[in-house]
Amino acid sequence: MTNADRERKVLDAVPTGLFIGGRWRDAENGATAKVEDPSTGEVLLEVADASPADGMAALDAAHTAQPTIAAMAPRQRSEILYRAYQLLHERADDLAMLMTLEMGKPLAEAKGEVVYASEFLRWFAEEAVRIDGGYQIAPNGQTRFLTIRQPVGVCVFVTPWNFPLAMGTRKIAPAIAAGCASIIKPAPQTPLTMLAFAQVLADAGLPDGALNVINATDAGGVMEPIIRDGRARKISFTGSTPVGKKLLAQAADKVLRTSLELGGNASFIVLDDADVDSAVEGAMVAKMRNMGEACTAANRFYVQRGVADEFARKLAEKMGALTVGRGTEDGVQVGPLIDGKGLSKVTDLVADAVANGAKVAIGGTAQDGPGYFYPPTVLTDVPVNSRLNHEEIFGPVAPITVVDSESQALDAANATEFGLVNYVYTRDLNRALRISERLESGMIGLNTGLVSNPAAPFGGVKESGLGREGGNVGIEEFLETKYVAIGFSG
């Protein structure tokens, strides 16, 4: 079978409708939306494009299913998640191919995401049977306190295009574990992977209506009525800070529980006592994972003067050696950006930095031809006030700014409204702990360029969001605590 034949086979197997109440159906008005291959600009498939009425039908289905999934034994919910975990591994090759086709990331990275996404299913399969409560004697001895953990209710999820599977499982898995029905709206650029995953959950035995998938290009028109209805009790969103703020305002009307994983502007600090080779390897992970299209991507590189030249030279060598191309091709390490808007943003940010004095060590110019490709780029002498140091790049560009001291690096790193993650390289333990405590972010990568792990709490501070996903606190976002006072006369 040729690559083209395999791609067609994978695409032909994808359901393209709305998944509502356990059934695949067309949009109410028959509308469809095109899904594009970012490496060629060609249309892969057309999928159903939901209307507000379709959104309300999804809410009806989730509301109807809520008592059923809430009443399921924790072990039943656990077993559904574990079966889905197994099915993801059985279908990993096809899911990875599908993800590469609609999002652009190299096939090896897509396979890695399938494994990463599956771990949320396994983790929360284990957490489902560990939801606890309590029994306590009142301080005066006259009553007893009983505490019960119950599902929060119907959840609404909005996920981004950069990790089409993992951002879904990170929300859906704890919801199922806790006993919550849900509605998910994937990004319009990458709905196919989530549609395929909905079929995985159906095949794993998830009750009808416990997950509903609605693709919608009119996100606001479809989602706002759902949020303002009142039957949904939680919203979880991963995406930009401006959109997150709008959703937070809408959620306030009905006092919905809210989890927001928003923008990042991560700093990557390399101090003069760091292992430079290790720092370069970490930088490659923190910067180039997903072509830099990640909220955890290193956005600002602050390197102490004593190691700045060596770090820049070695990073440019590594970045320049990467192979750029269509993600389905052998040996490709860097795929296209998601769309023309993303490419234009990266091009403009680099042009602004160069115009203000930054020097191009490698890359720096978009390549001609089809697709939204931008080469791995390293810039040196980047001014602190450059747009690259204040706006999320979402592309394969590493801007290096030289600093003279630890305190200067800290001040620069904290000089942002964002606070998702920061990275620090140093061999001094006291220095590492001191900086980790002073950096204003929800996560720190200390001598590592990778922080994401299903077993760890993921989330930010300041305008990078609210709440945490993953880890043993991840399920807390989907549970309410009920207290029962018991009279006692013994």
Side-chain angles (χ1 to χ4, degrees):
M1 183 182 294
T2 66
N3 282 345
D5 289 338
R6 182 165 173 242
E7 290 174 18
R8 190 71 260 163
K9 182 181 178 182
V10 167
L11 290 170
D12 287 346
V14 180
T16 57
L18 308 175
F19 189 62
I20 297 176
R23 303 289 181 269
W24 294 103
R25 46 172 277 189
D26 293 335
E28 171 226 15
N29 52 14
T32 60
K34 296 177 180 178
V35 181
E36 185 179 85
D37 179 344
S39 69
T40 64
E42 297 175 357
V43 174
L44 293 168
L45 285 175
E46 292 191 20
V47 297
D49 189 4
S51 68
D54 292 318
M56 296 309 291
L59 179 58
D60 290 343
H63 182 68
T64 299
Q66 180 56 45
T68 299
I69 190 168
M72 291 179 72
R75 180 63 69 191
Q76 285 181 280
R77 299 197 296 263
S78 173
E79 288 172 350
I80 289 170
L81 288 170
Y82 192 69
R83 283 196 295 271
Y85 163 81
Q86 292 173 313
L87 287 172
L88 272 195
H89 281 270
E90 291 173 12
R91 303 175 189 181
D93 288 345
D94 286 351
L95 284 165
M97 174 64 78
L98 186 61
M99 197 185 310
T100 292
L101 290 173
E102 67 173 342
M103 189 268 156
K105 68 181 69 183
L107 207 49
E109 279 203 51
K111 290 178 180 178
E113 182 176 339
V114 174
V115 173
Y116 174 51
S118 74
E119 286 300 316
F120 286 105
L121 300 173
R122 180 159 68 166
W123 176 265
F124 286 107
E126 295 162 346
E127 291 295 292
V129 295
R130 293 181 174 85
I131 298 171
D132 58 9
Y135 179 83
Q136 179 183 346
I137 300 173
N140 63 9
Q142 295 177 3
T143 57
R144 299 295 185 264
F145 302 158
L146 181 67
T147 54
I148 306 168
R149 312 302 302 284
Q150 295 181 312
V152 68
V154 173
C155 300
V156 178
F157 302 140
V158 181
T159 53
W161 48 261
N162 54 345
F163 293 94
L165 186 59
M167 296 304 96
T169 60
R170 193 158 75 180
K171 300 177 190 301
I172 294 168
I176 293 171
C180 299
S182 60
I183 303 160
I184 187 165
K185 191 204 79 65
Q189 298 96 326
T190 58
L192 304 179
T193 304
M194 183 50 59
L195 294 172
F197 179 61
Q199 189 60 59
V200 167
L201 283 173
D203 293 344
L206 188 67
D208 292 348
L211 174 69
N212 304 275
V213 183
I214 51 172
N215 320 300
T217 53
D218 179 16
V222 172
M223 301 308 292
E224 185 171 355
I226 296 173
I227 295 168
R228 294 194 185 280
D229 179 275
R231 286 178 290 170
R233 297 309 311 149
K234 175 180 174 61
I235 182 168
S236 178
F237 169 75
T238 299
S240 72
T241 296
V243 174
K245 289 179 178 180
K246 290 180 182 178
L247 291 174
L248 186 60
Q250 293 171 11
D253 185 51
K254 296 294 182 181
V255 197
L256 269 64
R257 287 274 293 273
T258 309
S259 301
L260 302 172
E261 195 263 283
L262 307 177
N265 189 13
S267 71
F268 192 99
I269 298 171
V270 183
L271 299 173
D272 55 8
D273 64 340
D275 179 328
V276 174
D277 289 332
S278 178
V280 169
E281 292 298 329
M284 291 296 293
V285 174
K287 178 73 264 182
M288 293 307 299
R289 183 184 181 213
N290 218 54
M291 293 85 72
E293 294 176 311
C295 53
T296 55
N299 210 60
R300 304 167 290 151
F301 287 76
Y302 297 120
V303 186
Q304 203 162 359
R305 191 171 300 279
V307 294
D309 288 344
E310 181 186 1
F311 177 83
R313 174 176 54 79
K314 289 182 174 180
L315 182 61
E317 289 174 358
K318 290 274 189 181
M319 294 273 273
L322 295 174
T323 301
V324 179
R326 191 164 189 256
T328 56
E329 297 172 359
D330 291 341
V332 167
Q333 298 161 293
V334 183
L337 299 181
I338 188 64
D339 54 25
K341 183 179 178 181
L343 177 60
S344 294
K345 179 181 180 181
V346 173
T347 301
D348 290 347
L349 288 174
V350 171
D352 171 78
V354 172
N356 284 283
K359 297 181 178 62
V360 178
I362 197 74
T365 304
Q367 68 184 56
D368 295 329
Y372 308 113
F373 293 95
Y374 197 89
T377 295
V378 176
L379 303 178
T380 61
D381 299 332
V382 177
V384 172
N385 62 355
S386 167
R387 286 176 58 197
L388 279 169
N389 278 326
H390 297 276
E391 299 180 30
E392 202 169 12
I393 301 169
F394 251 60
V397 178
I400 298 174
T401 300
V402 176
V403 295
D404 289 309
S405 65
E406 172 188 319
S407 61
Q408 187 183 0
L410 269 169
D411 289 344
N414 287 335
T416 175
E417 67 270 30
F418 300 106
L420 185 61
V421 61
N422 289 290
Y423 303 91
V424 182
Y425 272 77
T426 175
R427 285 186 276 200
D428 184 317
L429 179 59
N430 284 334
R431 196 179 206 187
L433 294 175
R434 179 171 64 244
I435 292 172
S436 295
E437 290 181 4
R438 294 179 183 177
L439 282 169
E440 297 168 355
S441 59
M443 300 177 289
I444 306 291
L446 181 58
N447 293 326
T448 180
L450 182 65
V451 296
S452 300
N453 191 303
F458 186 104
V461 300
K462 299 196 285 189
E463 293 191 20
S464 283
L466 302 169
R468 294 295 182 270
E469 296 181 302
N472 55 13
V473 300
I475 201 168
E476 299 291 331
E477 301 284 343
F478 297 87
L479 294 168
E480 297 282 14
T481 299
K482 179 180 287 184
Y483 151 56
V484 180
I486 305 170
F488 185 78
S489 57

